[in-house]
Every structure is written in structure tokens, then in C-alpha cells.
Amino acid sequence: MLKRVFVAPDAGRTRLRFAARAVVGIGLAVAVCGLAGHSLPGAVTGGLAALLALFTVTDPTVRGQFVTTALLPVAGLPVLAVAAGLHDHPAARGLAFLAVVGAGVYARRWGPRGHSLGVFAFMTFFVAQFLHTTTGQLPEVSAAVLLSVLTAAVVRFGVWCYERRLPAAAAPVALGGAGLDRVTTRQAVQATAGAGFALVVGQLVSGDRWYWAVGATWWVFVNTASRGETLVRGFRRVLGTVLGIGLAALVVVPLHGAVLPTTVLVAVCVFGIFYTAAVSYTWMMLWVTLLAAALYGLLGVLVPGLLALRLGETAVGALGAWLAVLFVLPVTTHAVTDAWIQRALRCVHVCTAEAAARLAGTAGADPAPRVAELEQSLGRVRLSVAPLVHPLNPMRGRKRRARQVLALLDDCAREIRGLVAVAADPEASHDERLAEACFRVESAVEALLDIAGVGDNGGRGDAAADTVLRVAPVHPRPTAEEAALTHVHALEQALAELATPLRAPSGSPLVGA
């Protein structure tokens, strides 16, 4: 796990910049709140609002990110007012919290912006419970939210806007149809049911910290789209919390809330959250747990028993999420995995077509931007098959097949990157052999899409293998052409081998229902 975090590729040092900018933005937001005369709870609220503004906004364009950031207070402040107004009415407060959970998950149907606004609304209600916000504190904490989001926006779009130099993010895959056939609708129902369980059981565990259980249920559902993904994420959340509590007992508790060292620790935790989020949910949860403990230390309420209570409430929340995805309108892992594998194969198809056009001398053909989309699609494939390749999964045959699919898709991505690099070389821009090989790859992808789409052979698997194995031998050529032919040949071989793991025996799906 250590190796995965610290040796994971960081192209363009994006994760490093992401984390460093978060420390700067959140630190400035807290400083602005302090200069404005806000109390410690107000500054904590502002810091968490800035964290969310920098963490959750993921629109594919800078302009879209700016609009979403501007809308965060619109989504959060009314929810904050409701949470404060219902502070002394537990039953109504619980029902309102569940409504925010359901609406927040349902909003994901509108893409990254809906997701961001839903997360911000939920966390605004959660922070109100965390700080026991009342109507008398509402003006101060609302002002803190506005100041902090504004400060975070200044840092993100003015001082440190590195996104202008990054490729646009890929559009999400559309899963499901209308009504309960839509994944986001099913997940909204699941999350509300799971949060209802967490709320009731969490209050039995603790009448003061019950919201931790609801928060655990919520975050288990974030960035998941299937039953298997949710189960794995819940396990990783509990594991990260256990590790974080152990570290907090060693590092945070002895500080006794001392301002300077605890503030430094908070900055380290923020950096850790942002730096590890993209590569390890377990590590991110470790840093989140440490951050929560440090904040409780600053508020003067941290005791060892509180850490044990957090673990118990986290376990309740994860259990609520697990029960919901298993028994309430389950979304199969196979359905989601199939969609993302098809998306990745289509990216291979498009990249190859653009490369073929570039090699044929077509003006304006540029496969390079499609490579980023392919990488993001492969990331979602890895996430969707995580339940199958998990060490605790007993289905060894499907685990082996899933690992083979991942390895071969990675091979495809590597060869596509090489092909795109060669296609950009003017010396190889008019080679007919390369263009013909690219067209053969396109035909192979079409055959594989049929296999991935139906989940069984249907007589097409062998045809796919035959298509891609009819490769002309690579003859000595000038360096650029020879390199391109080598990449295409390796790509065809990887596509040929993909036909076997994608073709499930007896019509069974790759990862099961």
C-alpha cells in the first residue's frame, strides 16, 4: 500500500500541485476568517468549505469549474440554515438530513456539477452537526462559508490555475435508462436507505456523534456505481479509519490541542488527503481521520474514547451502505464494468482512427487529446473491477480474467501512446502500411465491442482473434515507420488476447451479477 501511494505515477506532478494548492487555499481561507474576527467554529467551518471547494469541483473546463464554485454557496447556505434551525428538533433534523442525502446523490445525474453541489450540500449539513451550529451562529458561519469559497476561488482561478495546461476530462459514461433503470436514481434510493439505517443505529451508539455514521454511509457511495465498488469502498473506509485512529492516538492525543503543532498537523493532513485521494482511498481516509482528530483537539473535546466511538460509527455507516447496495435496487458490478470496458475500447478505436488519419496526411487530425480520455476510462475500469481483484474475493477464475483484462488494456494504452507519438512525426505522416494497420486495429476493436457488449462468445470471439492476428510482418524500415509498425503490431496482439478473457464461459459475465 505504501508503494502504491509513493511510487504511483504523477504525470506533470498534478497530484503534488493539487495537494500544495489545497494547503495554500485552505490556509488562506482560515486566515481570512480569522482576520474577519470569526470564532474558532467559524474558522473551522470556513476551512472545511474551502477544502470542499478545492476538492469536489471537477468540471472538465476551467470555466465550468468557476461556475460550479460560484454555485456552491447557493446549494450550501440554505441547507446550513435548515440544519441550524432544526438543531433542537431531532426527528425533523434526521428527516431533513435524509432528504439532503437522497437529493445529493440524485443530483449526480447532471454530471460533475451536480455531484459537486450535492457533496457540498451534504457536507454543509454534516458540518453543522459537527460544530452543533444553532440559529444564533448562522450569520457568522454563513459569512465564513462565503469568504472561504471566495478565497479558494481566488487561489484556484487566479493565483494557481494549473488546469489551463491540462487536457479536458472525459465525459462520464451514461449508465441505465429512465426511472429506476438509471444508476443515479437507484443510488439515491440506496444511499437514503443506508443513511436511514446509519442514522437510527448511530444514535443508539451515540446521541451526540451519530452523524459520523451517516457521513460514513454517504462517502462510501461517492464515486461508486455498482454493488461491488461500494462493498470494496466500505471496507477501505473502515480500514483507513482504523489506521488513522491508531496514528491519531500516537500523534494527536499527546498534543492536547496545542495550537501551533496541531495547526501544522492539520496542514499535513490536508496535503495528505489531496495527494493520496487519486491513488488510495484507504490512505485518504487515514488522513481524514487524523484531520478530524486534530480538529477535535483544537476544539478541546478530544479524548481517547472519542476515537473509539468514531470507529464504531464508521463501522455502522459502512454496514448501512453494504446492506443498502445488497438488498435495495442493486446495481450489478458486471453492468458497470461492461460499460467502462466498452468505453475504453471505443477510446482505443478513436485514437487509432485519428492516428490513421494523421498518418494519411489528413489536415487537422490529432489523436493526442484522445489519449487523456483513454487514461481516464482505464482508471474507471480499474475502479469497477476492484471488487473482483480484491484479495478477499473467492472467485479465482474471474479474478484471473479481470487481471488479464486490466493488463491487456494497459498494454493497449501503452502502444497507443507510442503510436500517437510516432504519428506526430512528420517523417511518418504518409505511410500507407501504417494506415492499413490502423484500419485493421479498428476492425478488431469493433469485434471486441460485440464481445464486451454481450458477455459471451456468440461465435465472434474467434473472429476477433483472427482479425487481429492477420498482421503483415514488420520489414526493416526507416526508424519512424518501423517504430510505428512495432506499436501497431503490439496493439493488435493485445486486442487479440483480449478476446479470450472478455469471452465468458457459458454466457456468464466477466465479474458476475
Side-chain angles (χ1 to χ4, degrees):
M1 190 166 64
L2 279 168
K3 181 178 180 181
R4 179 182 177 187
V5 172
F6 295 108
V7 185
D10 186 15
R13 297 184 179 178
T14 302
R15 287 193 295 125
L16 181 62
R17 288 184 291 178
F18 185 52
R21 185 178 66 180
V23 174
V24 173
I26 296 168
L28 285 177
V30 172
V32 169
C33 289
L35 292 174
H38 293 311
S39 63
L40 180 58
V44 170
T45 301
L48 292 174
L51 185 152
L52 293 167
L54 292 166
F55 188 82
T56 65
V57 177
T58 58
D59 297 75
T61 65
V62 175
R63 180 177 181 180
Q65 293 167 11
F66 182 85
V67 173
T68 300
T69 302
L71 291 174
L72 292 179
V74 177
L77 292 183
V79 172
L80 181 61
V82 171
L86 297 177
H87 180 266
D88 297 322
H89 306 279
R93 178 188 62 197
L95 291 174
F97 206 1
L98 294 181
V100 172
V101 169
V105 176
Y106 186 78
R108 296 175 192 171
R109 66 181 299 175
W110 291 292
R113 180 166 298 159
H115 172 77
S116 301
L117 298 179
V119 170
F120 196 82
F122 172 84
M123 286 303 296
T124 302
F125 204 112
F126 180 90
V127 170
Q129 310 312 308
F130 179 79
L131 297 172
H132 301 285
T133 304
T134 62
T135 52
Q137 300 170 301
L138 190 58
E140 179 189 5
V141 295
S142 297
V145 169
L146 289 171
L147 282 174
S148 298
V149 171
L150 177 61
T151 303
V154 169
V155 172
R156 180 170 193 160
F157 303 110
V159 177
W160 201 341
C161 189
Y162 65 79
E163 285 96 341
R164 289 197 182 99
R165 297 186 296 275
L166 297 178
V173 163
L175 297 173
L180 292 179
D181 289 332
R182 186 186 292 269
V183 170
T184 50
T185 304
R186 286 180 171 238
Q187 282 196 311
V189 176
Q190 290 174 341
T192 304
F197 173 90
L199 189 150
V200 173
V201 179
Q203 286 184 332
L204 294 177
V205 174
S206 171
D208 292 329
R209 310 296 180 191
W210 56 271
Y211 51 86
W212 276 342
V214 179
T217 299
W218 166 271
W219 283 105
V220 166
F221 275 98
V222 171
N223 291 330
T224 62
S226 72
R227 178 174 56 195
E229 288 180 35
T230 307
L231 292 173
V232 170
R233 191 175 176 89
F235 171 81
R236 290 173 176 168
R237 184 176 185 89
V238 174
L239 177 59
T241 301
V242 170
L243 297 175
I245 287 174
L247 193 56
L250 295 174
V251 177
V252 184
V253 173
L255 295 178
H256 300 291
V259 176
L260 182 57
T262 305
T263 301
V264 172
L265 180 60
V266 166
V268 171
C269 291
V270 168
F271 183 90
I273 291 170
F274 281 72
Y275 188 74
T276 61
V279 294
S280 174
Y281 185 65
T282 300
W283 268 86
M284 189 189 81
M285 280 310 308
L286 181 151
W287 292 114
V288 167
T289 303
L290 268 182
L291 176 63
L295 292 177
Y296 275 121
L298 287 174
L299 295 170
V301 296
L302 180 63
V303 294
L306 192 64
L307 297 177
L309 180 60
R310 177 174 174 82
L311 176 58
E313 295 285 3
T314 298
V316 169
L319 178 60
W322 288 338
L323 292 175
V325 298
L326 287 172
F327 300 110
V328 181
L329 301 174
V331 179
T332 65
T333 304
H334 169 58
V336 177
T337 301
D338 174 75
W340 282 107
I341 288 176
Q342 290 191 52
R343 173 65 174 268
L345 289 173
R346 289 192 179 97
C347 287
V348 171
H349 184 291
V350 172
C351 287
T352 307
E354 287 287 314
R358 178 66 177 263
L359 292 167
T362 302
D366 184 10
R370 302 293 186 177
V371 176
E373 184 177 352
L374 174 60
E375 297 288 355
Q376 293 173 32
S377 297
L378 288 179
R380 283 303 279 119
V381 172
R382 294 186 192 98
L383 180 61
S384 66
V385 302
L388 185 60
V389 299
H390 194 275
L392 297 180
N393 178 45
M395 297 181 291
R396 295 183 179 179
R398 289 179 178 173
K399 180 188 297 187
R400 183 174 58 253
R401 289 169 55 213
R403 286 176 174 168
Q404 188 178 4
V405 168
L406 289 177
L408 290 171
L409 287 175
D410 284 338
D411 289 345
C412 289
R414 182 178 62 252
E415 302 307 331
I416 283 290
R417 287 192 295 268
L419 177 62
V420 168
V422 174
D425 186 346
E427 295 182 6
S429 60
H430 296 285
D431 192 288
E432 289 297 328
R433 287 180 136 194
L434 293 176
E436 291 174 3
C438 288
F439 290 137
R440 289 199 304 272
V441 168
E442 293 179 51
S443 299
V445 170
E446 291 290 350
L448 285 175
L449 284 173
D450 288 337
I451 297 174
V454 300
D456 64 357
N457 187 355
R460 298 177 184 265
D462 295 333
D466 289 343
T467 298
V468 293
L469 287 175
R470 288 197 295 268
V471 183
V474 180
H475 297 292
R477 301 280 295 174
T479 304
E481 286 82 350
E482 183 177 345
L485 285 169
T486 299
H487 288 303
V488 174
H489 176 70
L491 178 58
E492 290 182 289
Q493 293 286 7
L495 292 172
E497 294 176 24
L498 262 174
T500 298
L502 289 180
R503 184 175 61 242
S506 303
S508 62
L510 174 64
V511 296

